[in-house]
Amino acid sequence: KAGVTQTPRYLIKTRGQQVTLSCSPISGHRSVSWYQQTPGQGLQFLFEYFSETQRNKGNFPGRFSGRQFSNSRSEMNVSTLELGDSALYLCASSLATTAGSSYNEQFFGPGTRLTVL
Amino acid sequence: LAKTTQPISMDSYEGQEVNITCSHNNIATNDYITWYQQFPSQGPRFIIQGYKTKVTNEVASLFIPADRKSSTLSLPRVSLSDTAVYYCLVGDGDTDKLIFGTGTRLQVFP
């Protein structure tokens, strides 16, 4: 079974630009979650999508948004990039029938490393 | 929001047992406690999960006290390949959000 894939793997942008990251979950997984990982803040939950609906959202500004398509693929968008948005963005998929539960194992992709200059 | 804290780092030698503790003061009543392992340039990977008392699988054990406000990941006889960052993950009791612990960097020496 193919794992979670994320594209692109690396991205360099400048302040004020916007960026779209893509995630393809494991076949059959309807839940896709996004996380931001930085040395200072660790792993922080951005949002979760389940069957094309945002089911849960972390404490990030509205510049961070996402969506999920009918095939469960998901995209994350960050508008008006700031230097502090430089991070590794991780996508994880799971069967996750219950929101906000760690019960369902999450399968992570390798991440997209975003650098904002 | 729940605070989920772990020691920043730990050192060990090959063959020793390593215990990493996570404090989760506001875990959701019905949620499990899950631990992940992360190597550089990779996403986290599931290690073990439990709800209460003790759980053991082929790579680790997880000890959870009755109040469930903490948990301890135990790695028996670590090897160099266990050098990684370890995270606990719980659901927050108030917000239904998943909270990762602060992460523990384990360095195993030969």
Side-chain angles (χ1 to χ4, degrees):
Chain A
K1 207 180 221 187
V4 177
T5 58
Q6 291 186 245
T7 55
R9 291 293 311 278
Y10 301 91
L11 208 47
I12 299 175
K13 293 285 189 179
T14 56
R15 280 181 298 174
Q17 287 187 308
Q18 76 160 21
V19 67
T20 299
L21 312 181
S22 182
C23 172
S24 292
I26 290 173
S27 177
H29 287 187
R30 294 160 65 189
S31 168
V32 174
S33 297
W34 288 88
Y35 296 87
Q36 181 194 65
Q37 187 172 32
T38 60
Q41 299 297 319
L43 272 162
Q44 291 188 286
F45 171 72
L46 278 156
F47 29 65
E48 182 209 5
Y49 286 86
F50 185 84
S51 293
E52 301 180 67
T53 301
Q54 187 181 85
R55 190 162 68 171
N56 213 336
K57 190 177 191 303
N59 299 321
F60 279 81
R63 300 186 297 106
F64 292 81
S65 63
R67 59 178 175 168
Q68 186 180 34
F69 302 95
S70 58
N71 61 358
S72 292
R73 190 177 70 84
S74 177
E75 287 182 346
M76 191 194 99
N77 185 274
V78 187
S79 63
T80 320
L81 284 166
E82 301 176 359
L83 295 179
D85 296 333
S86 294
L88 180 68
Y89 290 88
L90 290 160
C91 163
S93 76
S94 78
L95 294 170
T97 53
T98 304
S101 171
S102 78
Y103 175 71
N104 288 103
E105 179 180 350
Q106 296 192 70
F107 295 82
F108 284 82
T112 294
R113 169 104 25 217
L114 172 64
T115 301
V116 182
L117 303 175
Chain B
L1 205 63
K3 274 192 74 72
T4 309
T5 56
Q6 303 175 228
I8 293 175
S9 63
M10 298 182 71
D11 292 337
S12 182
Y13 291 96
E14 282 190 294
Q16 289 188 329
E17 178 184 78
V18 171
N19 295 308
I20 304 173
T21 298
C22 175
S23 297
H24 25 80
N25 65 342
N26 193 32
I27 182 174
T29 302
N30 297 321
D31 198 25
Y32 281 65
I33 298 159
T34 309
W35 283 78
Y36 286 80
Q37 175 191 54
Q38 186 178 26
F39 296 111
S41 302
Q42 295 183 23
R45 185 178 69 173
F46 175 93
I47 304 174
I48 194 168
Q49 178 183 80
Y51 183 78
K52 60 181 180 180
T53 62
K54 177 185 173 183
V55 178
T56 297
N57 63 18
E58 62 276 8
V59 299
S61 294
L62 180 58
F63 299 91
I64 304 168
D67 66 5
R68 297 187 357 104
K69 291 186 183 298
S70 67
S71 58
T72 299
L73 172 71
S74 181
L75 304 172
R77 298 179 300 282
V78 294
S79 64
L80 296 176
S81 62
D82 293 319
T83 294
V85 181
Y86 293 83
Y87 294 93
C88 60
L89 174 67
V90 300
D92 178 59
D94 294 329
T95 64
D96 282 341
K97 298 188 194 307
L98 289 175
I99 309 291
F100 270 99
T102 48
T104 299
R105 185 174 301 277
L106 172 64
Q107 179 69 54
V108 180
F109 296 96

